[in-house]
Amino acid sequence: MKSQGRRKFIQSITSGAAASIALPSIAFASINENLEASFEQLFDTNYTDEESFWEAVKNQFKFADGLFYFNNASLGSSSLPIRQATNSFRETLDGFPSKYMWGGWNKEKEHTRKLVADLFSVSEEEIALTHNTTEGMNLIARSFDLQAGDEVILADHEHASGTIPWEVWQETKGIKLVRPTLPILPKSIDEVVQVFKNAISPQTKVISMCHIVNTNGMILPVKDISKLAHENGILVAVDGAQSSGMFTIDLHDLGCDFYTASSHKWLFAPKGIGVFYAKKESQHHLKPLMVARGHTDTSIRRLENYNTRNLPELLGLGASVKFHNEIGSDKITKRSFELKSYFRNKIKDNPKFKIKTPEADELSSAIQVVELVGKNVREVKKQLFDQYGIDCRPMTKFGLNAIRLSFAIYITKKDIDYLVDALERI
């Protein structure tokens, strides 16, 4: 990217703050200079190879000294440009609180909604800007007027935030929660689809499912299951916490009715901002969790009517999507699968390791789970951190006894080499 193009990008990433300036202009000039400096290496350099580019991407993230962070599936980090843009919004808000909380940023909020909608190839009238995946699952589970005897399918690998809302809001009414068992290492999409097909009955009203399960990183075939569900008059709700931002997602193509995601994982947005999608034809099923002035709004915005909320973080989501787009969704998708393949190839012939994530690209991506044979996973996790500064997540459910490794865009092949060396030593 040439200097002129970079300056244009930096101006766009801080447009919300600059357009509604309430602090001295010199402060924003300083912010722009910092942003330009942080992007100079990434976009103004001619790289000799692809890995050099990704090394530069890594430099846009700042972690604690000595930390090798392979735990993005738990919580992501915001890149320096996203942090700086969010902080500039925060300073603007604190400079004139009442103006920017209630109306001063309406255009910027809608611009962020449009950026998110475009990222998922849907209409901005199908996107609500919420807090996290948990809120979205509660919104869905509480909305339905299900009757005793109705059934909701929730596979056994669902996250607690995807099951508890159904238990509290529906199971207590006599609704049956059907919990089919997913295979740990399916060989094909059809094998997974068959699990849901076998669980469907004439009483099934909703299938609630993960796009990627957090236990072993398995991708579930949302498109195939949505098609099956709709043929039987069943709605589909998707927990997209682990997929949004990892690879390209077209929600219309997936076919689900609802999709909720935390943007602070693979989109690297500020913490506490979420994305909620509802297909236009399915929005009439939904009721807001909170009501306030403006509750008569018939658009999807009624689902995010909080009155006072953390708008700098919301606008920071817009900066996050711009950062994602600047690198390129296709490029990020390719990188996610490339790092997965690189890691698996380095350990596949070592009998000390047992990979417990499906191999096929349609069934897994940048989350991989591996057992060190004969080792307790909690002890492995402790050794990795204490001796090598590697942070990851131990997974003990379903007999995994394995560490979960996240290969986000700030992970390089050198980092994976270091990880594998540490695993071999342990």
Side-chain angles (χ1 to χ4, degrees):
M1 178 182 287
K2 303 301 182 184
S3 296
Q4 184 177 4
R6 189 182 71 250
R7 284 195 294 271
K8 184 177 180 182
F9 168 68
I10 293 164
Q11 289 168 2
S12 73
I13 206 170
T14 57
S15 61
S20 51
I21 195 165
L23 298 173
S25 59
I26 189 170
F28 286 95
S30 175
I31 290 169
N32 283 338
E33 287 174 7
N34 290 338
L35 284 170
E36 182 163 352
S38 69
F39 273 82
E40 184 171 359
Q41 180 184 9
L42 186 57
F43 296 124
D44 272 4
T45 302
N46 292 320
Y47 298 102
T48 56
D49 53 46
E50 276 290 305
E51 199 59 25
S52 298
F53 171 80
W54 293 110
E55 291 278 359
V57 170
K58 178 181 179 178
N59 289 336
Q60 300 300 307
F61 293 83
K62 183 175 177 59
F63 292 98
D65 290 344
L67 177 65
F68 291 81
Y69 194 68
F70 288 88
N71 202 9
N72 196 87
S74 291
L75 190 63
S77 173
S78 293
S79 68
L80 294 176
I82 296 168
R83 296 186 203 183
Q84 291 164 349
T86 304
N87 287 338
S88 74
F89 294 128
R90 186 173 294 113
E91 290 184 8
T92 301
L93 174 62
D94 285 329
F96 197 161
S98 61
K99 175 179 180 180
Y100 294 105
M101 182 56 66
W102 298 301
W105 274 333
N106 283 347
K107 288 183 179 179
E108 288 78 9
K109 286 164 60 179
E110 290 306 309
H111 180 59
T112 297
R113 190 189 315 278
K114 182 66 165 60
L115 285 169
V116 172
D118 289 347
L119 179 67
F120 292 103
S121 299
V122 299
S123 164
E124 59 265 39
E125 297 304 319
E126 296 175 301
I127 293 292
L129 303 174
T130 58
H131 292 105
N132 52 35
T133 308
T134 303
E135 179 185 343
M137 295 310 300
N138 271 273
L139 195 161
I140 296 166
R142 194 175 184 182
S143 288
F144 294 105
D145 294 320
L146 300 180
Q147 305 300 311
D150 288 342
E151 295 179 359
V152 175
I153 296 174
L154 294 158
D156 61 338
H157 281 252
E158 293 299 304
H159 191 278
S161 292
T163 59
I164 292 173
W166 292 104
E167 292 169 358
V168 171
W169 303 121
Q170 297 295 342
E171 191 175 37
T172 53
K173 294 161 45 179
I175 280 70
K176 181 181 179 182
L177 302 184
V178 179
R179 306 301 307 274
T181 300
L182 291 172
I184 293 290
L185 293 171
K187 300 297 185 185
S188 68
I189 285 176
D190 289 343
E191 187 178 347
V192 180
V193 174
Q194 191 63 43
V195 171
F196 287 89
K197 187 173 183 179
N198 292 343
I200 291 174
S201 80
Q203 286 73 46
T204 306
K205 304 301 179 187
V206 181
I207 294 175
S208 185
M209 62 183 295
C210 288
H211 195 179
I212 296 180
V213 301
N214 81 308
T215 49
N216 76 333
M218 174 168 50
I219 298 175
L220 300 186
V222 172
K223 182 175 181 177
D224 301 78
I225 293 168
S226 294
K227 182 176 183 295
L228 171 68
H230 293 154
E231 289 171 351
N232 289 274
I234 300 167
L235 295 168
V236 178
V238 176
D239 170 347
Q242 295 294 0
S243 59
S244 58
M246 183 190 293
F247 45 72
T248 303
I249 296 171
D250 181 333
L251 288 173
H252 284 168
D253 183 63
L254 282 186
C256 56
D257 298 278
F258 315 109
Y259 179 98
T260 176
S262 300
S263 55
H264 50 247
K265 293 182 187 282
W266 300 89
L267 281 172
F268 315 113
K271 312 307 175 273
I273 291 295
V275 171
F276 186 90
Y277 160 79
K279 187 165 60 176
K280 279 187 177 180
E281 298 85 349
S282 303
Q283 288 182 20
H284 66 279
H285 292 287
L286 301 174
K287 302 170 186 174
L289 284 173
M290 296 176 60
V291 290
R293 193 183 320 172
H295 68 95
T296 57
D297 188 347
T298 58
S299 79
I300 197 168
R301 293 160 189 80
R302 73 186 186 277
L303 305 179
E304 57 178 56
N305 187 21
Y306 310 122
N307 197 9
T308 303
R309 68 177 303 185
N310 200 331
L311 290 178
E313 270 62 22
L314 185 152
L315 299 181
L317 169 59
S320 303
V321 176
K322 289 175 181 178
F323 181 77
H324 180 100
N325 292 343
E326 196 68 19
I327 297 173
S329 186
D330 290 344
K331 197 164 189 172
I332 290 171
T333 298
K334 180 181 176 183
R335 181 64 170 180
S336 297
F337 289 101
E338 179 184 18
L339 291 179
K340 161 197 164 176
S341 177
Y342 185 78
F343 171 73
R344 292 182 70 107
N345 285 335
K346 286 188 73 71
I347 69 170
K348 67 179 182 179
D349 296 325
N350 191 328
K352 297 178 181 179
F353 303 125
K354 184 180 293 185
I355 302 175
K356 294 190 170 180
T357 301
E359 181 176 3
D361 283 350
E362 62 264 27
L363 290 170
S364 77
S365 182
I367 299 174
Q368 297 292 301
V369 172
V370 60
E371 178 184 11
L372 276 66
V373 178
K375 298 281 187 179
N376 179 278
V377 65
R378 296 195 184 279
E379 182 59 30
V380 171
K381 185 261 191 300
K382 186 176 186 301
Q383 284 185 264
L384 281 172
F385 184 74
D386 291 347
Q387 298 175 23
Y388 301 96
I390 293 171
D391 187 51
C392 59
R393 172 77 183 272
M395 305 306 295
T396 57
K397 289 185 176 181
F398 307 103
L400 289 173
N401 187 40
I403 54 170
R404 188 184 69 190
L405 301 164
S406 305
F407 303 129
I409 59 173
Y410 50 75
I411 296 295
T412 65
K413 291 181 179 178
K414 288 181 181 178
D415 293 331
I416 292 178
D417 292 342
Y418 177 77
L419 167 70
V420 172
D421 181 66
L423 291 174
E424 289 175 341
R425 289 176 183 272
I426 290 175

